Amino acid sequence: KRWYINDKIPSSPEYCLILFSSEIEFELKNRIKMNKLIIDVASEKIFLMIISNGSIYNITHENTKINYEKLTIIINDFLLSKNIKITNINAIYINQGSGSFAGIRNSMSVVKAFNVAKKIDYYCYNLDDFKDEKDISYENIPNLCKKYKIKKNLINPVYLS
């Protein structure tokens, strides 16, 4: 027997459109995976959160100078523990203060490096930006940044004196 392609014309244009739109929807669902990383070193502990298509993971570390210096390693280890690569992160949200100078400076440097090296957009928020909000949970930070039109890739830190 010989194998060959048999051209068949769909019975109706609607059927053809349904197949075409279903294929596009399938491709988009498989291609778009929104992974958001939230970093907060301005608080009492170093806090990291990943929001990945409905799943939420978080971890805290002691807020020390040694941990500031190895923040990239801490972030990478956290991502790998959830089988996520830094290249799979779509956006980073970082608390820009107020807080310690060393912690904020190091975290902003790490985020800026991710932006330059991997083209990951970041949003620098301050909890004062959301003072009128009732739900300022970490899970809600991406929505609040969108609602309050926090500018993408703009750093404006607030340090404690």
Side-chain angles (χ1 to χ4, degrees):
K1 283 188 171 184
R2 290 185 163 233
W3 292 94
Y4 60 93
I5 297 173
N6 187 3
D7 290 335
K8 287 189 176 181
I9 298 172
S11 57
S12 70
E14 292 84 10
Y15 180 76
C16 187
L17 286 174
I18 290 171
L19 288 176
F20 180 73
S21 64
S22 297
E23 185 176 350
I24 288 176
E25 185 178 351
F26 177 77
E27 284 291 321
L28 289 175
K29 282 183 181 177
N30 285 332
R31 203 178 312 164
I32 298 174
K33 291 189 176 182
M34 292 302 294
N35 295 314
K36 299 168 188 171
L37 175 64
I38 298 172
I39 302 171
D40 186 352
V41 299
S43 302
E44 291 180 21
K45 294 205 174 255
I46 294 174
F47 179 85
L48 303 174
M49 176 179 277
I50 300 169
I51 301 173
S52 178
N53 292 330
S55 298
I56 297 173
Y57 313 100
N58 64 61
I59 193 168
T60 59
H61 285 272
E62 193 176 342
N63 208 339
T64 64
K65 183 179 178 184
I66 292 170
N67 282 342
Y68 293 153
E69 292 174 359
K70 61 179 191 176
L71 186 59
T72 306
I73 295 167
I74 291 170
I75 291 170
N76 193 50
D77 288 348
F78 178 49
L79 292 172
L80 290 177
S81 74
K82 304 304 175 196
N83 296 318
I84 298 174
K85 296 178 185 174
I86 191 63
T87 53
N88 299 119
I89 297 294
N90 303 91
I92 300 174
Y93 298 84
I94 181 165
N95 187 348
Q96 64 184 355
S98 61
S100 80
F101 175 77
I104 293 171
R105 182 193 65 216
N106 285 358
S107 63
M108 298 249 181
S109 297
V110 167
V111 169
K112 185 64 178 170
F114 287 147
N115 171 260
V116 170
K118 303 295 183 185
K119 307 291 186 242
I120 302 170
D121 290 327
Y122 60 89
Y123 299 85
C124 296
Y125 68 90
N126 184 314
L127 294 179
D128 291 339
D129 294 334
F130 316 129
K131 61 185 170 215
D132 297 331
E133 288 295 320
K134 291 179 178 134
D135 181 16
I136 307 181
S137 62
Y138 285 108
E139 298 88 6
N140 202 25
I141 293 294
N143 296 329
L144 292 173
C145 286
K146 187 175 182 179
K147 178 179 179 179
Y148 285 88
K149 298 181 172 119
I150 302 299
K151 292 189 191 272
K152 178 171 59 173
N153 303 333
L154 176 69
I155 296 175
N156 190 18
V158 179
Y159 303 115
L160 289 178
S161 46

